[in-house]
Amino acid sequence: MSEEVVLLDFWPSPFGMRVRIALAEKGIQYEYQEEDLRNKSDLLLKMNPIHKKIPVLIHRGKPVCESLIQVQYIDEVWHDKSPLIPSDPYQRANARFWADFVDKKIYEIGTKIWTTKGEEQAAAKKEFIESLKLLEGELGDKPYFGGDNLGYVDVALLPFYSWFYAYEKCGNFTIEEECPKLIAWAKRCLQKESVAKSLPDQEKVYGFVLQLKKAFGIE
Amino acid sequence: MAEEVVLLDFWPSPFGMRVRIALAEKGIQYEYKEEDLRNKSDLLLKMNPIHKKIPVLIHKGKPVCESLIQVQYIDEVWHGKSPLLPSDPYQRANARFWADFVDKKIYDLGRKIWTTKGEEQAAAKKEFIESLKLLEGELGDKTYFGGDNLGYVDVVLVPFYNWFYVYEKCGNFTIEEECPKLIAWAKRCLQKESVAKSLPDEEKVYGFVLQLKKAFGIE
């Protein structure tokens, strides 16, 4: 079965992590291929000619691109185990809304935190915390965004937790102080094997960010 | 039934048009409410507190936000008639990919065409045409992106057709010269009542854009 599913990925990518978590939740065996983004493989360029980005999920030779589309695809094909998206249309729309919110806010604002300084960074930190607080509101008292089990929004958001340490170090602030419920949620998720094995060590991610900053001449 | 579905919208919005087309395709009666975006209604702010944007679809008093999420919701709730998304998971992933491509490319590039000049506008026009050509490639010889009937990608893309006149006038170029297949597809869609009644007249859209340019001091 392992040749049936291939994942072209890059270890620090939160988008790749989403797919790793989804595949692990479903217990799917797959071949993981690490891409060098400065020297993209022919396979990557052939499988994602439009955007030329990772992650790319290849199932029986056919590519699926874009992480949220990949997670939905995995959920639909392997629908019998660990469903990620609810079955009720309104709850599905709600789950998609919050996954879209993560896409619109967390990645871009997080990137601003480690790539900028001064006022721009301060504004990004403020908006970042506000966005996390809105997510805390959506989580409410539930153990996971998906309720009693990991769901679509959990999978969409969790990978960014491995980048929080990098944001905190670069931004000189503590996320847990402002958003304790969200950090508690993330730690709860990390107790699951599917999550723990899909997320890289946060110190390793921070080391990567420092390399990037050096390479791009960002202080 | 009309009170069950309410659409908060703004007549020139391509995102609102997507929802109008989907509702029309399904034959759903609904109440259309025009929003003044400089003076947003309490209902809009209450139903979309996170983004405060239109369109907002309100079904039995509960809001659904973001146009692609709304179209999928409509397709799932009123699944008995005129299905928009395919049932096969791979084809669904492909439809979602191209809808995402439209979101990533067409709106932003189109906007650059009417708000900028010189080199920036030239670059936007070039990338815009390239994007339309990629869409032509996906359309292939099919009548619609959805095959024999209107599908998800048709609904997502066709609203931009009545903004093409704006782009052409502001950018001083002809889209049909470069992308005849796409224009033929759009005209084919406009023969459908669900599309024709959902799209405003292109001259009216152009008049609106001229007002915007004047208001924002854009030449």
Side-chain angles (χ1 to χ4, degrees), chain A residues 7-21 32-35 37 53-56 66-68 70 103 107 155-163 167 198-201 204-205 208-209 212:
Chain A
L7 178 64
L8 308 183
D9 202 347
F10 180 51
W11 69 267
S13 163
F15 305 103
M17 288 175 218
R18 288 169 168 176
V19 188
R20 287 173 232 163
I21 297 170
Y32 179 96
Q33 284 192 35
E34 188 72 29
E35 284 285 332
L37 298 187
K53 288 183 172 182
I54 58 88
V56 178
E66 298 300 308
S67 65
L68 292 185
Q70 291 156 342
D103 264 8
Y107 179 71
V155 174
L157 177 59
L158 259 173
F160 293 96
Y161 178 70
S162 66
W163 278 71
Y167 301 151
S198 304
L199 266 51
D201 174 69
K204 201 176 166 196
V205 173
F208 168 72
V209 167
L212 277 183

Side-chain angles (χ1 to χ4, degrees), chain A residues 48 50-51 62-66 69 72-73 76-77 89-90 92-93 96-98 100-101 104 134, chain B residues 48 50-51 62-66 69 72-73 76-77 89-90 92-93 96-98 100-101 104-105 134:
Chain A
N48 191 0
I50 307 269
H51 301 305
K62 300 204 290 186
V64 181
C65 303
E66 298 300 308
I69 295 175
Q72 290 184 81
Y73 175 80
E76 288 170 13
V77 173
Y90 190 78
R92 288 160 76 84
R96 286 175 177 140
F97 174 86
W98 286 103
D100 175 70
F101 178 85
K104 281 177 157 74
L134 285 168
Chain B
N48 192 1
I50 308 271
H51 301 304
K62 300 203 290 186
V64 181
C65 303
E66 297 301 306
I69 296 174
Q72 291 184 81
Y73 175 80
E76 289 169 12
V77 173
Y90 190 79
R92 288 160 76 82
R96 286 176 174 138
F97 174 86
W98 286 103
D100 175 70
F101 178 85
K104 282 177 158 72
K105 299 281 181 184
L134 286 168

